[in-house]
Amino acid sequence: KQEVTQIPAALSVPEGENLVLNCSFTDSAIYNLQWFRQDPGKGLTSLLLIQSSQREQTSGRLNASLDKSSGRSTLYIAASQPGDSATYLCAKPAGGSNYKLTFGKGTLLTVNP
Amino acid sequence: NAGVTQTPKFQVLKTGQSMTLQCAQDMNHNSMYWYRQDPGMGLRLIYYSASEGTTDKGEVPNGYNVSRLNKREFSLRLESAAPSQTSVYFCASTENRDLYEQYFGPGTRLTVT
């Protein structure tokens, strides 16, 4: 079964720190990889999607990279703020089809003022 | 654009009762999905519809049925609710080309007693 693993499960940092969230997957033949944010009691919000032909994607203070050969993706958050506190999930296509996604269990990020 | 909408937001059922969760999207997306999210289990795909008129089972379909009513709407039915179906249910949609970026609704929190 294809798996997506996110480490760490939880992370607490002081405001202003730069941080990296990790996502690893067992199937290197991926198509796209998507990062989501989930606030407590809310749905998932798409942050970044990296196409398989790309190595990274940036949006504001967020940068996501993709290394298919090692089966890893990282989400870099620069100058973290308390408003960044949320659960971050990565997801990749399941079974080589873009129709279905397999999700990691997420990293719960707390940014302390 | 409202994006993906779900009703109801909260529901409490007794064991054996039935109900239908409604989902609609206004982005003209072809594919729609139902997920459930449980602590420690992450997000799991229940059913999906790759296009209007088609539905397929996901990872955890037992105890559920779906209907793709038209391109906009995709409903999830619990015929005889069980406590194991206590969960948060999310609907999502995506366009069937290019990025396959998934967009999520706000969720329905279901408790079965």
Side-chain angles (χ1 to χ4, degrees):
Chain A
K1 180 182 175 183
Q2 296 167 346
E3 290 190 350
V4 178
T5 304
Q6 292 188 247
I7 295 173
L11 180 64
S12 181
V13 301
E15 181 177 3
E17 194 161 294
N18 302 325
L19 58 99
V20 174
L21 306 180
N22 296 293
C23 172
S24 61
F25 39 88
T26 55
D27 178 9
S28 62
I30 75 165
Y31 289 73
N32 301 330
L33 189 133
Q34 197 167 355
W35 281 93
F36 295 88
R37 168 185 173 137
Q38 185 176 28
D39 293 293
K42 304 290 186 184
L44 279 69
T45 300
S46 179
L47 295 174
L48 290 165
L49 184 147
I50 311 174
Q51 297 180 65
S52 60
S53 58
Q54 298 176 318
R55 289 192 61 84
E56 64 179 71
Q57 192 71 256
T58 298
S59 176
R61 294 181 294 106
L62 304 180
N63 176 277
S65 66
L66 176 62
D67 184 342
K68 291 190 292 182
S69 62
S70 65
R72 291 178 187 273
S73 177
T74 60
L75 180 67
Y76 174 82
I77 302 177
S80 58
Q81 303 170 357
D84 295 329
S85 298
T87 297
Y88 291 81
L89 299 100
C90 66
K92 64 172 287 293
S97 165
N98 277 322
Y99 288 120
K100 299 186 289 183
L101 295 180
T102 297
F103 286 81
K105 294 182 180 178
T107 294
L108 175 61
L109 173 65
T110 303
V111 181
N112 301 300
Chain B
N1 275 356
V4 180
T5 57
Q6 292 182 237
T7 56
K9 286 187 168 50
F10 300 93
Q11 184 72 48
V12 179
L13 292 177
K14 289 184 170 26
T15 297
Q17 287 185 318
S18 63
M19 78 161 296
T20 299
L21 282 63
Q22 306 285 354
C23 173
Q25 51 90 11
D26 62 2
M27 297 174 283
N28 201 36
H29 284 170
N30 291 311
S31 293
M32 297 185 73
Y33 307 81
W34 277 105
Y35 295 90
R36 59 179 289 174
Q37 186 176 39
D38 303 289
M41 301 295 292
L43 271 156
R44 293 179 292 172
L45 181 65
I46 305 171
Y47 270 94
Y48 69 103
S49 170
S51 61
E52 187 179 354
T54 69
T55 60
D56 286 285
K57 295 178 181 179
E59 186 182 352
V60 289
N62 290 345
Y64 305 95
N65 285 302
V66 290
S67 295
R68 184 72 183 269
L69 304 169
N70 47 56
K71 192 171 185 180
R72 288 187 65 248
E73 299 172 288
F74 189 37
S75 63
L76 178 72
R77 182 159 178 85
L78 286 70
E79 292 290 352
S80 179
S84 62
Q85 294 178 305
T86 293
S87 187
V88 182
Y89 292 85
F90 290 102
C91 178
S93 70
T94 187
E95 199 171 19
N96 278 6
R97 59 187 177 90
D98 299 335
L99 300 182
Y100 291 89
E101 188 171 5
Q102 288 199 14
Y103 295 84
F104 279 73
T108 295
R109 189 172 297 273
L110 175 67
T111 302
V112 183
T113 61

